[in-house]
């Protein structure tokens, strides 16, 4: 279990558009939620959705079968791995998360600060 089901930041059945709309409405840097990923892929079960600088970032959360751990974004050497999705959230409430804009190839950083609930 990824440790998501009882969490305030987990929007289980929320789709991408609903999540993005909720974050735009919050309009606060560091607003976030976690939703189930659109594709039914066991290797990428969740998506971390973060609002920063008037933009919404959808960051895939990967499940690593061999170690039964979770990691953010595309696989990279030396990446941080976590035992649960809840650990990822806890970690990035204290440690900055790097946001990569693939269209403009720019990087920003923010912490996960404001839980957004999807109504």
């Amino acid at each position: 279990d990824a440790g998501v089901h009882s969490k305030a930041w987990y929007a289980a059945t929320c789709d991408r558009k609903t999540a993005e709309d909720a974050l735009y409405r919050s309009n606060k840097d560091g607003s976030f939620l976690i939703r189930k990923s659109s594709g039914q892929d066991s290797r990428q079960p969740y998506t971390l959705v973060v609002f920063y600088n008037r933009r919404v970032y959808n960051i895939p959360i990967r499940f690593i079968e061999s170690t039964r751990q979770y990691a953010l974004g595309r696989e990279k050497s030396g990446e941080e791995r976590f035992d649960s999705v809840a650990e990822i959230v806890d970690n990035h409430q204290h440690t900055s998360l790097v946001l990569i804009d693939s269209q403009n190839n720019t990087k920003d950083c923010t912490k996960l600060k404001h839980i957004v609930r999807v109504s």
Side-chain angles (χ1 to χ4, degrees):
D1 175 56
V4 297
H5 296 288
S6 59
K7 303 293 188 191
W9 40 254
Y10 182 55
T13 54
C14 168
D15 63 20
R16 181 177 182 140
K17 170 132 182 44
T18 307
E20 290 182 357
D21 289 347
L23 286 165
Y24 279 121
R25 278 196 307 276
S26 80
N27 201 24
K28 286 197 286 236
D29 285 350
S31 294
F32 75 98
L33 60 82
I34 296 211
R35 63 176 175 82
K36 274 199 162 128
S37 288
S38 313
Q40 290 305 307
D41 183 352
S42 62
R43 285 170 310 187
Q44 189 183 305
Y46 303 103
T47 301
L48 169 60
V49 192
V50 182
F51 182 88
Y52 184 77
N53 201 12
R54 298 188 302 283
R55 307 240 356 246
V56 170
Y57 295 83
N58 284 278
I59 304 164
I61 298 175
R62 285 181 296 110
F63 179 65
I64 301 147
E65 190 66 53
S66 59
T67 59
R68 310 213 51 81
Q69 290 176 303
Y70 295 87
L72 288 173
R74 282 195 289 261
E75 192 169 344
K76 46 213 165 297
S77 63
E79 68 187 358
E80 279 190 283
R81 293 181 172 188
F82 300 90
D83 292 328
S84 69
V85 174
E87 273 187 30
I88 293 176
V89 172
D90 292 343
N91 179 65
H92 288 298
Q93 286 177 321
H94 307 288
T95 314
S96 286
L97 173 69
V98 177
L99 303 170
I100 298 167
D101 180 343
S102 49
Q103 289 163 326
N104 307 329
N105 211 14
T106 56
K107 283 187 183 178
D108 274 309
C109 286
T110 188
K111 291 180 183 162
L112 302 178
K113 296 180 197 145
H114 312 285
I115 295 169
V116 172
R117 291 177 183 272
V118 180
S119 41

